[in-house]
Amino acid sequence: IVSYFACIKFHNSIPRISVAFLIMTSASTKTASLGVVSGFVGAGGNSGSAILQAALFRDSPLETYEGLRYMGVIIICVTLLVVPIYFPMWGGMFCAPKPGATEEDYYLSDYTEEERARGLADRTIKFAQESKSQRGLKAQS
């Protein structure tokens, strides 16, 4: 019982930290992509929480606080998987974009010159141009 109350006392600062991260994330997300980001985060959060709750709390010998602790560790570990993701034209989590890299260069690198000449990359070119137009006003200037 003592460890249960210690756990609750320790987690009193969690809502304040969560709200601070929410505000920082909202402030740094481009307005044009906010709906897409919200949709993916919501869908991933719902499915992930359903899977974790079933795994950690359904017919489990774990106490509630242990399940919540393991859930937190799992969430942190899965989030760390996105750290190495890097796109030359957009950058990564801790890296700036490569100077001069464009969406066209990145997406068209899958095609040979012959395939481009035959028009097989036309849809990809259109996608790359649309992708560039979604970057926001700062990126377009």
Side-chain angles (χ1 to χ4, degrees), residues 8-33:
I8 291 174
K9 185 176 180 184
F10 174 75
H11 288 357
N12 281 342
S13 64
I14 297 298
R16 288 180 287 215
I17 294 170
S18 298
V19 169
F21 276 114
L22 178 68
I23 291 170
M24 289 188 307
T25 303
S26 297
S28 65
T29 304
K30 294 179 179 85
T31 308
S33 63

PDB file of all heavy atoms in Angstrom, residues 8-33:
ATOM      1  N   ILE A   8       1.622   7.297  -6.760  1.00  0.00           N
ATOM      2  CA  ILE A   8       0.676   8.380  -7.061  1.00  0.00           C
ATOM      3  C   ILE A   8       1.304   9.734  -6.750  1.00  0.00           C
ATOM      4  O   ILE A   8       1.209  10.671  -7.529  1.00  0.00           O
ATOM      5  CB  ILE A   8      -0.631   8.194  -6.274  1.00  0.00           C
ATOM      6  CG1 ILE A   8      -1.385   6.982  -6.810  1.00  0.00           C
ATOM      7  CG2 ILE A   8      -1.502   9.446  -6.370  1.00  0.00           C
ATOM      8  CD1 ILE A   8      -2.608   6.625  -6.019  1.00  0.00           C
ATOM      9  N   LYS A   9       1.983   9.845  -5.611  1.00  0.00           N
ATOM     10  CA  LYS A   9       2.624  11.101  -5.239  1.00  0.00           C
ATOM     11  C   LYS A   9       3.690  11.486  -6.268  1.00  0.00           C
ATOM     12  O   LYS A   9       3.826  12.625  -6.642  1.00  0.00           O
ATOM     13  CB  LYS A   9       3.245  10.971  -3.849  1.00  0.00           C
ATOM     14  CG  LYS A   9       3.817  12.251  -3.334  1.00  0.00           C
ATOM     15  CD  LYS A   9       4.328  12.069  -1.922  1.00  0.00           C
ATOM     16  CE  LYS A   9       4.895  13.375  -1.407  1.00  0.00           C
ATOM     17  NZ  LYS A   9       5.480  13.211  -0.087  1.00  0.00           N
ATOM     18  N   PHE A  10       4.447  10.500  -6.761  1.00  0.00           N
ATOM     19  CA  PHE A  10       5.483  10.748  -7.745  1.00  0.00           C
ATOM     20  C   PHE A  10       4.900  11.249  -9.058  1.00  0.00           C
ATOM     21  O   PHE A  10       5.492  12.072  -9.732  1.00  0.00           O
ATOM     22  CB  PHE A  10       6.284   9.467  -7.978  1.00  0.00           C
ATOM     23  CG  PHE A  10       7.294   9.574  -9.072  1.00  0.00           C
ATOM     24  CD1 PHE A  10       8.474  10.266  -8.881  1.00  0.00           C
ATOM     25  CD2 PHE A  10       7.060   9.011 -10.310  1.00  0.00           C
ATOM     26  CE1 PHE A  10       9.406  10.374  -9.891  1.00  0.00           C
ATOM     27  CE2 PHE A  10       7.992   9.109 -11.330  1.00  0.00           C
ATOM     28  CZ  PHE A  10       9.161   9.785 -11.110  1.00  0.00           C
ATOM     29  N   HIS A  11       3.723  10.774  -9.437  1.00  0.00           N
ATOM     30  CA  HIS A  11       3.150  11.104 -10.733  1.00  0.00           C
ATOM     31  C   HIS A  11       2.309  12.378 -10.734  1.00  0.00           C
ATOM     32  O   HIS A  11       1.679  12.684 -11.720  1.00  0.00           O
ATOM     33  CB  HIS A  11       2.304   9.942 -11.243  1.00  0.00           C
ATOM     34  CG  HIS A  11       3.116   8.756 -11.689  1.00  0.00           C
ATOM     35  ND1 HIS A  11       4.484   8.741 -11.704  1.00  0.00           N
ATOM     36  CD2 HIS A  11       2.748   7.553 -12.144  1.00  0.00           C
ATOM     37  CE1 HIS A  11       4.919   7.590 -12.137  1.00  0.00           C
ATOM     38  NE2 HIS A  11       3.885   6.843 -12.402  1.00  0.00           N
ATOM     39  N   ASN A  12       2.297  13.146  -9.656  1.00  0.00           N
ATOM     40  CA  ASN A  12       1.511  14.384  -9.633  1.00  0.00           C
ATOM     41  C   ASN A  12       1.998  15.412 -10.638  1.00  0.00           C
ATOM     42  O   ASN A  12       1.234  16.239 -11.104  1.00  0.00           O
ATOM     43  CB  ASN A  12       1.505  14.995  -8.234  1.00  0.00           C
ATOM     44  CG  ASN A  12       0.536  14.296  -7.319  1.00  0.00           C
ATOM     45  OD1 ASN A  12      -0.357  13.596  -7.776  1.00  0.00           O
ATOM     46  ND2 ASN A  12       0.716  14.462  -6.028  1.00  0.00           N
ATOM     47  N   SER A  13       3.280  15.401 -10.982  1.00  0.00           N
ATOM     48  CA  SER A  13       3.817  16.382 -11.923  1.00  0.00           C
ATOM     49  C   SER A  13       3.608  15.971 -13.378  1.00  0.00           C
ATOM     50  O   SER A  13       3.821  16.771 -14.277  1.00  0.00           O
ATOM     51  CB  SER A  13       5.297  16.614 -11.657  1.00  0.00           C
ATOM     52  OG  SER A  13       6.006  15.414 -11.891  1.00  0.00           O
ATOM     53  N   ILE A  14       3.180  14.751 -13.621  1.00  0.00           N
ATOM     54  CA  ILE A  14       3.018  14.249 -14.985  1.00  0.00           C
ATOM     55  C   ILE A  14       2.028  15.084 -15.803  1.00  0.00           C
ATOM     56  O   ILE A  14       2.324  15.431 -16.946  1.00  0.00           O
ATOM     57  CB  ILE A  14       2.633  12.753 -14.984  1.00  0.00           C
ATOM     58  CG1 ILE A  14       3.741  11.914 -14.365  1.00  0.00           C
ATOM     59  CG2 ILE A  14       2.294  12.262 -16.374  1.00  0.00           C
ATOM     60  CD1 ILE A  14       5.056  11.974 -15.100  1.00  0.00           C
ATOM     61  N   PRO A  15       0.839  15.452 -15.290  1.00  0.00           N
ATOM     62  CA  PRO A  15      -0.076  16.258 -16.115  1.00  0.00           C
ATOM     63  C   PRO A  15       0.524  17.595 -16.543  1.00  0.00           C
ATOM     64  O   PRO A  15       0.342  18.021 -17.680  1.00  0.00           O
ATOM     65  CB  PRO A  15      -1.286  16.474 -15.212  1.00  0.00           C
ATOM     66  CG  PRO A  15      -1.250  15.328 -14.264  1.00  0.00           C
ATOM     67  CD  PRO A  15       0.204  15.032 -14.053  1.00  0.00           C
ATOM     68  N   ARG A  16       1.275  18.248 -15.680  1.00  0.00           N
ATOM     69  CA  ARG A  16       1.896  19.526 -16.054  1.00  0.00           C
ATOM     70  C   ARG A  16       2.931  19.330 -17.147  1.00  0.00           C
ATOM     71  O   ARG A  16       3.005  20.110 -18.100  1.00  0.00           O
ATOM     72  CB  ARG A  16       2.526  20.173 -14.827  1.00  0.00           C
ATOM     73  CG  ARG A  16       1.499  20.727 -13.853  1.00  0.00           C
ATOM     74  CD  ARG A  16       2.208  21.333 -12.712  1.00  0.00           C
ATOM     75  NE  ARG A  16       2.727  20.217 -11.925  1.00  0.00           N
ATOM     76  CZ  ARG A  16       2.823  20.188 -10.621  1.00  0.00           C
ATOM     77  NH1 ARG A  16       2.477  21.231  -9.912  1.00  0.00           N
ATOM     78  NH2 ARG A  16       3.282  19.147  -9.990  1.00  0.00           N
ATOM     79  N   ILE A  17       3.722  18.282 -17.040  1.00  0.00           N
ATOM     80  CA  ILE A  17       4.728  17.999 -18.062  1.00  0.00           C
ATOM     81  C   ILE A  17       4.047  17.653 -19.385  1.00  0.00           C
ATOM     82  O   ILE A  17       4.451  18.117 -20.448  1.00  0.00           O
ATOM     83  CB  ILE A  17       5.655  16.846 -17.601  1.00  0.00           C
ATOM     84  CG1 ILE A  17       6.471  17.290 -16.390  1.00  0.00           C
ATOM     85  CG2 ILE A  17       6.566  16.395 -18.729  1.00  0.00           C
ATOM     86  CD1 ILE A  17       7.224  16.163 -15.709  1.00  0.00           C
ATOM     87  N   SER A  18       2.977  16.865 -19.321  1.00  0.00           N
ATOM     88  CA  SER A  18       2.249  16.479 -20.539  1.00  0.00           C
ATOM     89  C   SER A  18       1.671  17.695 -21.243  1.00  0.00           C
ATOM     90  O   SER A  18       1.759  17.812 -22.461  1.00  0.00           O
ATOM     91  CB  SER A  18       1.122  15.502 -20.199  1.00  0.00           C
ATOM     92  OG  SER A  18       1.645  14.338 -19.641  1.00  0.00           O
ATOM     93  N   VAL A  19       1.079  18.604 -20.498  1.00  0.00           N
ATOM     94  CA  VAL A  19       0.498  19.809 -21.098  1.00  0.00           C
ATOM     95  C   VAL A  19       1.589  20.672 -21.709  1.00  0.00           C
ATOM     96  O   VAL A  19       1.422  21.229 -22.800  1.00  0.00           O
ATOM     97  CB  VAL A  19      -0.331  20.590 -20.058  1.00  0.00           C
ATOM     98  CG1 VAL A  19      -0.726  21.959 -20.578  1.00  0.00           C
ATOM     99  CG2 VAL A  19      -1.568  19.795 -19.661  1.00  0.00           C
ATOM    100  N   ALA A  20       2.734  20.770 -21.048  1.00  0.00           N
ATOM    101  CA  ALA A  20       3.842  21.559 -21.599  1.00  0.00           C
ATOM    102  C   ALA A  20       4.317  20.975 -22.930  1.00  0.00           C
ATOM    103  O   ALA A  20       4.527  21.707 -23.901  1.00  0.00           O
ATOM    104  CB  ALA A  20       4.994  21.617 -20.595  1.00  0.00           C
ATOM    105  N   PHE A  21       4.473  19.645 -23.006  1.00  0.00           N
ATOM    106  CA  PHE A  21       4.875  19.013 -24.259  1.00  0.00           C
ATOM    107  C   PHE A  21       3.808  19.180 -25.330  1.00  0.00           C
ATOM    108  O   PHE A  21       4.119  19.372 -26.498  1.00  0.00           O
ATOM    109  CB  PHE A  21       5.184  17.526 -24.056  1.00  0.00           C
ATOM    110  CG  PHE A  21       6.580  17.280 -23.573  1.00  0.00           C
ATOM    111  CD1 PHE A  21       6.803  16.765 -22.318  1.00  0.00           C
ATOM    112  CD2 PHE A  21       7.676  17.587 -24.368  1.00  0.00           C
ATOM    113  CE1 PHE A  21       8.087  16.549 -21.863  1.00  0.00           C
ATOM    114  CE2 PHE A  21       8.960  17.367 -23.929  1.00  0.00           C
ATOM    115  CZ  PHE A  21       9.166  16.849 -22.663  1.00  0.00           C
ATOM    116  N   LEU A  22       2.546  19.108 -24.947  1.00  0.00           N
ATOM    117  CA  LEU A  22       1.460  19.305 -25.904  1.00  0.00           C
ATOM    118  C   LEU A  22       1.518  20.700 -26.513  1.00  0.00           C
ATOM    119  O   LEU A  22       1.391  20.866 -27.727  1.00  0.00           O
ATOM    120  CB  LEU A  22       0.112  19.081 -25.214  1.00  0.00           C
ATOM    121  CG  LEU A  22      -1.122  19.299 -26.058  1.00  0.00           C
ATOM    122  CD1 LEU A  22      -1.223  18.223 -27.133  1.00  0.00           C
ATOM    123  CD2 LEU A  22      -2.363  19.271 -25.196  1.00  0.00           C
ATOM    124  N   ILE A  23       1.749  21.701 -25.687  1.00  0.00           N
ATOM    125  CA  ILE A  23       1.834  23.084 -26.177  1.00  0.00           C
ATOM    126  C   ILE A  23       3.047  23.253 -27.085  1.00  0.00           C
ATOM    127  O   ILE A  23       2.958  23.869 -28.157  1.00  0.00           O
ATOM    128  CB  ILE A  23       1.866  24.074 -24.993  1.00  0.00           C
ATOM    129  CG1 ILE A  23       0.503  24.078 -24.293  1.00  0.00           C
ATOM    130  CG2 ILE A  23       2.244  25.474 -25.459  1.00  0.00           C
ATOM    131  CD1 ILE A  23       0.483  24.828 -22.988  1.00  0.00           C
ATOM    132  N   MET A  24       4.196  22.693 -26.695  1.00  0.00           N
ATOM    133  CA  MET A  24       5.404  22.816 -27.525  1.00  0.00           C
ATOM    134  C   MET A  24       5.220  22.117 -28.866  1.00  0.00           C
ATOM    135  O   MET A  24       5.630  22.641 -29.902  1.00  0.00           O
ATOM    136  CB  MET A  24       6.616  22.239 -26.791  1.00  0.00           C
ATOM    137  CG  MET A  24       7.079  23.090 -25.630  1.00  0.00           C
ATOM    138  SD  MET A  24       8.636  22.565 -24.887  1.00  0.00           S
ATOM    139  CE  MET A  24       8.362  20.854 -24.529  1.00  0.00           C
ATOM    140  N   THR A  25       4.590  20.949 -28.861  1.00  0.00           N
ATOM    141  CA  THR A  25       4.353  20.223 -30.107  1.00  0.00           C
ATOM    142  C   THR A  25       3.407  20.994 -31.007  1.00  0.00           C
ATOM    143  O   THR A  25       3.633  21.114 -32.208  1.00  0.00           O
ATOM    144  CB  THR A  25       3.778  18.823 -29.810  1.00  0.00           C
ATOM    145  OG1 THR A  25       4.674  18.137 -28.952  1.00  0.00           O
ATOM    146  CG2 THR A  25       3.590  18.033 -31.078  1.00  0.00           C
ATOM    147  N   SER A  26       2.334  21.533 -30.439  1.00  0.00           N
ATOM    148  CA  SER A  26       1.367  22.290 -31.229  1.00  0.00           C
ATOM    149  C   SER A  26       1.998  23.539 -31.822  1.00  0.00           C
ATOM    150  O   SER A  26       1.707  23.917 -32.951  1.00  0.00           O
ATOM    151  CB  SER A  26       0.167  22.679 -30.361  1.00  0.00           C
ATOM    152  OG  SER A  26      -0.504  21.531 -29.924  1.00  0.00           O
ATOM    153  N   ALA A  27       2.860  24.186 -31.069  1.00  0.00           N
ATOM    154  CA  ALA A  27       3.495  25.419 -31.544  1.00  0.00           C
ATOM    155  C   ALA A  27       4.491  25.143 -32.664  1.00  0.00           C
ATOM    156  O   ALA A  27       4.700  25.984 -33.528  1.00  0.00           O
ATOM    157  CB  ALA A  27       4.187  26.126 -30.386  1.00  0.00           C
ATOM    158  N   SER A  28       5.102  23.955 -32.668  1.00  0.00           N
ATOM    159  CA  SER A  28       6.124  23.665 -33.673  1.00  0.00           C
ATOM    160  C   SER A  28       5.593  22.912 -34.896  1.00  0.00           C
ATOM    161  O   SER A  28       6.337  22.677 -35.829  1.00  0.00           O
ATOM    162  CB  SER A  28       7.254  22.858 -33.031  1.00  0.00           C
ATOM    163  OG  SER A  28       6.763  21.600 -32.618  1.00  0.00           O
ATOM    164  N   THR A  29       4.318  22.551 -34.900  1.00  0.00           N
ATOM    165  CA  THR A  29       3.745  21.818 -36.027  1.00  0.00           C
ATOM    166  C   THR A  29       3.182  22.798 -37.044  1.00  0.00           C
ATOM    167  O   THR A  29       2.527  23.767 -36.686  1.00  0.00           O
ATOM    168  CB  THR A  29       2.627  20.877 -35.537  1.00  0.00           C
ATOM    169  OG1 THR A  29       3.171  20.012 -34.546  1.00  0.00           O
ATOM    170  CG2 THR A  29       2.079  20.046 -36.668  1.00  0.00           C
ATOM    171  N   LYS A  30       3.437  22.535 -38.311  1.00  0.00           N
ATOM    172  CA  LYS A  30       2.923  23.392 -39.373  1.00  0.00           C
ATOM    173  C   LYS A  30       1.395  23.317 -39.410  1.00  0.00           C
ATOM    174  O   LYS A  30       0.814  22.252 -39.272  1.00  0.00           O
ATOM    175  CB  LYS A  30       3.496  22.958 -40.711  1.00  0.00           C
ATOM    176  CG  LYS A  30       4.983  23.156 -40.814  1.00  0.00           C
ATOM    177  CD  LYS A  30       5.478  22.686 -42.159  1.00  0.00           C
ATOM    178  CE  LYS A  30       6.945  22.888 -42.295  1.00  0.00           C
ATOM    179  NZ  LYS A  30       7.731  21.815 -41.753  1.00  0.00           N
ATOM    180  N   THR A  31       0.754  24.439 -39.626  1.00  0.00           N
ATOM    181  CA  THR A  31      -0.705  24.507 -39.624  1.00  0.00           C
ATOM    182  C   THR A  31      -1.319  23.639 -40.709  1.00  0.00           C
ATOM    183  O   THR A  31      -2.329  22.987 -40.491  1.00  0.00           O
ATOM    184  CB  THR A  31      -1.156  25.971 -39.822  1.00  0.00           C
ATOM    185  OG1 THR A  31      -0.486  26.776 -38.858  1.00  0.00           O
ATOM    186  CG2 THR A  31      -2.645  26.109 -39.643  1.00  0.00           C
ATOM    187  N   ALA A  32      -0.706  23.586 -41.876  1.00  0.00           N
ATOM    188  CA  ALA A  32      -1.273  22.825 -42.990  1.00  0.00           C
ATOM    189  C   ALA A  32      -1.318  21.329 -42.694  1.00  0.00           C
ATOM    190  O   ALA A  32      -2.202  20.622 -43.172  1.00  0.00           O
ATOM    191  CB  ALA A  32      -0.464  23.072 -44.256  1.00  0.00           C
ATOM    192  N   SER A  33      -0.384  20.846 -41.914  1.00  0.00           N
ATOM    193  CA  SER A  33      -0.334  19.407 -41.651  1.00  0.00           C
ATOM    194  C   SER A  33      -0.935  19.028 -40.307  1.00  0.00           C
ATOM    195  O   SER A  33      -0.858  17.874 -39.911  1.00  0.00           O
ATOM    196  CB  SER A  33       1.115  18.930 -41.718  1.00  0.00           C
ATOM    197  OG  SER A  33       1.880  19.554 -40.719  1.00  0.00           O
TER     198      SER A  33
END
